[in-house]
Amino acid sequence: MGEGAHPAHGAVLLLIDLQKAIDHPSWGVRNNPNAEANLAALLALWRREGWPVWHVRHDSVHATSHYRPGQPLHAFRPGAEPLAGEPVIGKQANSAFIGTALEADLKARGDLRLVVAGVITNNSVEATVRMAGNLGFVTWLVEDAGFTFDRIDFNGVHRTADEVHAMSLANLDGEYCAVVRARELLA
């Protein structure tokens, strides 16, 4: 790591659920319109430097899910496809650690640092980051390299995707991870 390099450099870049299913219109209004550009820049940096890139793929068991294997939208999004040698972790739960070998495989590397990006902030990203923190991983969550969608909260109040995203980040930052922006890692 060069002088002034970010401490996350060289960590596993863990990309969560970057599949075509996330683009289905049924999700509604999303935030972070620059997420794809930030993801592409991070992926390019990690690959150029030869740092590890791991992909999490949601393999839904629900018959109507666009994330179900065999469905066209189950495929990785253009630009987020794994290259040869980049591990793909198939999961059926929200957290990438549940029912997978992710924890053991990461710990076998001997480097407990993760940089997490992907979707959905308040779902699979939050579930994975919470577990990563609880399992002892030093984790950075790249807030502008992922997104979420508008939601109705428990009290029936409409929350914008930006509000949902910000609350999820507030729940995680300082407790389970450090929330960062792509430019901090790309500098």
Side-chain angles (χ1 to χ4, degrees):
M1 199 175 346
E3 186 174 326
H6 194 281
H9 285 171
V12 168
L13 178 61
L14 189 67
L15 302 175
I16 298 180
D17 296 354
L18 294 174
Q19 295 159 259
K20 293 178 180 180
I22 201 62
D23 299 320
H24 194 276
S26 63
W27 289 107
V29 178
R30 65 168 261 200
N31 69 324
N32 274 353
N34 295 323
E36 287 80 1
N38 291 329
L39 281 161
L42 288 170
L43 202 47
L45 172 63
W46 252 252
R47 287 173 171 164
R48 184 172 62 248
E49 295 295 331
W51 299 334
V53 176
W54 293 27
H55 303 263
V56 175
R57 182 190 65 222
H58 191 70
D59 296 335
S60 179
V61 295
H62 299 287
T64 59
S65 174
H66 297 296
Y67 280 101
R68 189 166 51 86
Q71 303 301 308
L73 299 182
H74 178 257
F76 285 100
R77 297 172 95 213
E81 303 96 342
L83 297 182
E86 293 178 349
V88 176
I89 297 90
K91 68 175 179 64
Q92 295 179 342
N94 297 333
S95 173
F97 289 99
I98 300 293
T100 72
L102 180 61
E103 178 185 4
D105 291 350
L106 287 170
K107 287 185 173 176
R109 295 184 67 253
D111 183 348
L112 299 183
R113 297 176 304 136
L114 296 176
V115 173
V116 178
V119 295
I120 295 174
T121 312
N122 54 300
N123 194 311
S124 292
V125 171
E126 185 167 342
T128 299
V129 168
R130 282 177 182 271
M131 285 198 70
N134 284 328
L135 292 169
F137 292 93
V138 176
T139 306
W140 292 270
L141 173 56
V142 190
E143 73 89 9
D144 54 354
F147 53 89
T148 191
F149 301 91
D150 286 12
R151 297 223 11 154
I152 303 298
D153 75 13
F154 189 73
N155 294 321
V157 177
H158 176 266
R159 302 295 178 176
T160 67
D162 281 334
E163 290 173 322
V164 174
H165 189 73
M167 183 54 75
S168 187
L169 298 174
N171 290 338
L172 297 170
D173 189 41
E175 181 81 20
Y176 303 97
C177 70
V179 174
V180 296
R181 291 188 170 85
R183 69 175 178 264
E184 297 173 52
L185 300 177
L186 296 168

